[in-house]
Amino acid sequence: MIGNATYPDADSPLPQMTRDAQGLTNVLRKDGFLVDAVDNATRIDMTCAIDHLSARVHLNSIVLVYFGGFGVQSDGHNYLIPVDAKIWSERDVRRQGVSIDRLLSQLETSGARVRLVVIEASRRNPYERRFRTYSHGLAPIQTSEDALILSSAAPGQVVEDLAEPHSQLMTALLSQIESAKGIEEAFNNTRNAVAAATQGQQIPAVSSTLTESVNLRPAWSGAPVFSVRSAATGRPD
């Protein structure tokens, strides 16, 4: 999981993102997941994390990737923003951001049986005053086969960060992972819980192409299960 909190160009830090990453890490480790981690990831950290994960995944793996921080859409595609990005134009977004499409494609190529992705990046673009056009939130995320994606808000919508220990999304997700029978049920219940808690002001997006019921408890059965914050250290925690 990648929790990016400190961006030089943002008006204020995003401390919830590192706490959200840690909270999800704790739950996954308790259930037997192998988790790699780093906070405030640079572009090199992020690309190394994806490469490292892809290299050790095999056909029976269930993979969960989490990113919390800023995301920017450009030409209908979404990019996760590293903390060291220097962005003055949309071209810089495409050059210095990490493409969600590339992430999903690389996970698919790795051969993981199931790919789970949680994206907390539906925020107002901190660089929009430098662009000729304005973009809000993320564009729709195209889901590959056997994937399940949870995004903190519907396409084009932005989330307001409240002064709470965890975000609305993570508060609901941590509760649902503990109680739901399957991960798709957990993601759907998380969406409904956030919508209810915010009186419809924030409605997370869930996109699924799963062809089987997936429970995070398979970690107990011996099937290798991985989650990545970042593999910048080159070793599992």
Side-chain angles (χ1 to χ4, degrees):
M1 325 220 167
I2 299 172
N4 283 355
T6 305
Y7 289 87
D9 287 325
D11 293 333
S12 59
L14 305 172
Q16 282 183 338
M17 296 304 94
T18 52
R19 292 196 293 264
D20 283 3
Q22 188 59 56
L24 187 53
T25 294
N26 293 340
V27 168
L28 293 175
R29 282 180 174 160
K30 185 176 69 173
D31 285 338
F33 279 68
L34 173 64
V35 181
D36 293 334
V38 74
D39 297 329
N40 294 316
T42 65
R43 191 176 192 281
I44 291 177
D45 291 337
M46 293 173 68
T47 55
C48 285
I50 298 170
D51 292 343
H52 182 65
L53 174 63
S54 299
R56 68 181 186 178
V57 164
H58 58 70
L59 294 178
N60 201 34
S61 297
I62 297 173
V63 178
L64 188 151
V65 175
Y66 168 85
F67 176 85
F70 281 110
V72 176
Q73 61 169 296
S74 176
D75 291 337
H77 298 279
N78 298 305
Y79 297 85
L80 308 176
I81 306 301
V83 296
D84 63 341
K86 295 179 173 58
I87 295 175
W88 293 93
S89 68
E90 284 196 55
R91 179 180 297 180
D92 293 331
V93 171
R94 297 188 290 270
R95 289 169 45 187
Q96 299 193 36
V98 174
S99 167
I100 292 182
D101 292 338
R102 174 185 177 273
L103 167 63
L104 294 175
S105 176
Q106 194 160 342
L107 290 178
E108 183 176 18
T109 302
S110 73
R113 178 166 62 90
V114 175
R115 298 172 297 282
L116 312 173
V117 181
V118 179
I119 304 293
E120 281 200 276
S122 299
R123 294 183 168 80
R124 188 172 301 280
N125 179 357
Y127 314 102
E128 65 182 3
R129 63 188 181 277
R130 303 172 181 175
F131 295 177
R132 294 181 179 178
T133 58
Y134 291 94
S135 64
H136 299 291
L138 300 179
I141 300 173
Q142 301 300 316
T143 309
S144 58
E145 186 177 356
D146 294 320
L148 178 64
I149 300 174
L150 173 64
S151 182
S152 54
Q157 300 298 310
V158 297
V159 174
E160 298 297 332
D161 295 300
L162 304 178
E164 301 290 342
H166 290 292
S167 66
Q168 294 275 10
L169 184 82
M170 190 55 64
T171 297
L173 180 59
L174 294 177
S175 173
Q176 293 301 325
I177 285 179
E178 296 283 2
S179 61
K181 294 181 180 179
I183 191 61
E184 190 164 5
E185 177 184 333
F187 279 19
N188 286 328
N189 288 349
T190 295
R191 176 191 58 204
N192 297 339
V194 172
T198 63
Q199 298 182 322
Q201 295 300 305
Q202 178 184 348
I203 303 178
V206 179
S207 180
S208 174
T209 56
L210 293 183
T211 57
E212 61 178 291
S213 178
V214 178
N215 193 317
L216 293 185
R217 269 58 184 189
W220 293 113
S221 68
V225 186
F226 299 94
S227 172
V228 167
R229 283 193 287 177
S230 174
T233 61
R235 63 181 186 277
D237 288 355

